[in-house]
Amino acid sequence: MTKIVILTGAGVSAESGLGTFRDKDGLWTRYDLEEVATPEGFARNPALVHEFYNARRKNCVEATPNAAHHALARLERDFDGPVLIVTQNVDDLHERAGSSHVWHMHGQLTRALCAACGHRWDAPAVMAPADPCPACAAPATRPDIVWFGEYPYGMEAIWDELRAADLFVSIGTSGNVYPAAAFVQDAARAGAQTLELNLEPSIGAHDFEEVRTGPATEIVPAWVAQMLA
Ligand code: BV8
């Protein structure tokens, strides 16, 4: 039984209108990463960070899954083997396209976290620093997002999956951010085949056995059709 592990990044949601980070006019060209995606930035100015994520949560609600998300959901449904999506993305477009086996290693826009007691709940559309935690009432609510310098979620389970994978596919990520950028090496070391599907070769393209370039809405459905043939 062939086990497929797929890593996705902002490029898989780009054609749904959600900004990427490092492309031309990407998010990190308009916002200072240090200010809005680090615990230090949140401590300094929680209102700015909530404003940043409130805007992205609104974009996400207004966006719709694209042909790449739908193709991956079809693969999970019809492929004769387990398909796991580990996503760096904090949007819910994979789930809204029908994928159910999705791990958000960098958290989710749709979830809130209490920095005081660790309680998690479904995030309201708009969050503000003074919002009381539903469990402990402390005004310590934050987006349930993994910021730079914080430990991504589920790493031990992810590394287990990479070690057991027969095929590792990276889709729509530039290979800038660790530990996700090293997954191809983790998988290859354990004997997996490796494939990159991206608009252009990523920083880590040389680590992949095969690299296919083009828009995700074209090359992902083509690859899925090939896998299901
Ligand atoms: C951690 C949530 C300790 C925020 C994000 C070495 C080892 C370990 C850590 C580090 C290390 N070196 C440096 C670090 C620290 C740091 C890091 O990697 N820094 C970088 C900048 C150098 N990493 C961390 O802090 C991580 N935590 O290290 O904990 C630890 C140590 C060891 C082992 C485990 C843990 C935490 C990182 C998480 C930060 N949070 N997201 C938010 O979303 O608001 S990361 C952020 O970047 C986004 O989540 C995004 O998902 C992620 C990666 O970006 P991409 O998805 O790749 O997006 P990008 O714009 O870069 O690229 C888009 C790609 O799509 C491009 O290639 C483009 O060509 C392509 N594309 C565009 N359009 C299309 C397309 N492809 C197809 N079709 C299209 N239409």
Side-chain angles (χ1 to χ4, degrees):
M1 178 95 75
T2 301
K3 287 173 70 87
I4 303 178
V5 175
I6 298 166
L7 172 68
T8 61
V12 81
S13 298
E15 291 163 91
S16 293
L18 294 186
T20 64
F21 292 88
R22 297 170 184 83
D23 289 327
K24 194 177 58 61
D25 72 32
L27 281 167
W28 297 151
T29 63
R30 285 180 283 128
Y31 287 91
D32 176 354
L33 174 157
E34 293 299 328
E35 293 305 308
V36 293
T38 61
E40 297 77 15
F42 184 67
R44 267 195 304 275
N45 187 343
L48 172 67
V49 175
H50 275 303
E51 196 184 293
F52 175 63
Y53 287 100
N54 290 341
R56 291 180 60 196
R57 199 171 293 113
K58 182 171 179 295
N59 290 344
C60 187
V61 166
E62 291 164 357
T64 51
N66 62 52
H69 297 107
H70 288 296
L72 294 177
R74 194 163 53 250
L75 182 73
E76 176 191 308
R77 194 185 59 232
D78 299 341
F79 183 69
D80 177 24
V83 175
L84 168 65
I85 295 176
V86 179
T87 186
Q88 299 173 93
N89 299 340
V90 293
D91 64 59
D92 60 351
L93 295 180
H94 283 305
E95 290 87 346
R96 286 164 54 194
S99 289
S100 59
H101 201 191
V102 182
W103 294 355
H104 286 268
M105 65 180 289
H106 291 165
Q108 300 174 75
L109 280 171
T110 54
R111 298 288 282 169
L113 168 65
C114 175
C117 75
H119 179 62
R120 282 184 170 83
W121 66 99
D122 288 341
V126 176
M127 293 180 73
D131 292 352
C133 164
C136 75
T141 62
R142 56 170 279 180
D144 187 14
I145 298 274
V146 176
W147 288 323
F148 288 95
E150 296 185 320
Y151 209 91
Y153 293 154
M155 286 311 304
E156 292 312 320
I158 293 172
W159 280 317
D160 285 346
E161 290 292 336
L162 292 170
R163 278 192 284 269
D166 299 296
L167 173 60
F168 173 74
V169 186
S170 178
I171 303 175
T173 180
S174 63
N176 269 295
V177 174
Y178 288 84
F183 287 177
V184 57
Q185 290 151 0
D186 301 327
R189 198 176 310 121
Q193 286 181 292
T194 55
L195 167 65
E196 178 178 85
L197 304 176
N198 208 50
L199 189 62
E200 62 211 3
S202 73
I203 291 179
H206 55 275
D207 284 325
F208 289 85
E209 284 161 333
E210 187 186 356
V211 175
R212 295 183 195 174
T213 54
T217 54
E218 289 173 20
I219 62 177
V220 176
W223 169 68
V224 167
Q226 191 187 344
M227 294 301 290
L228 297 179

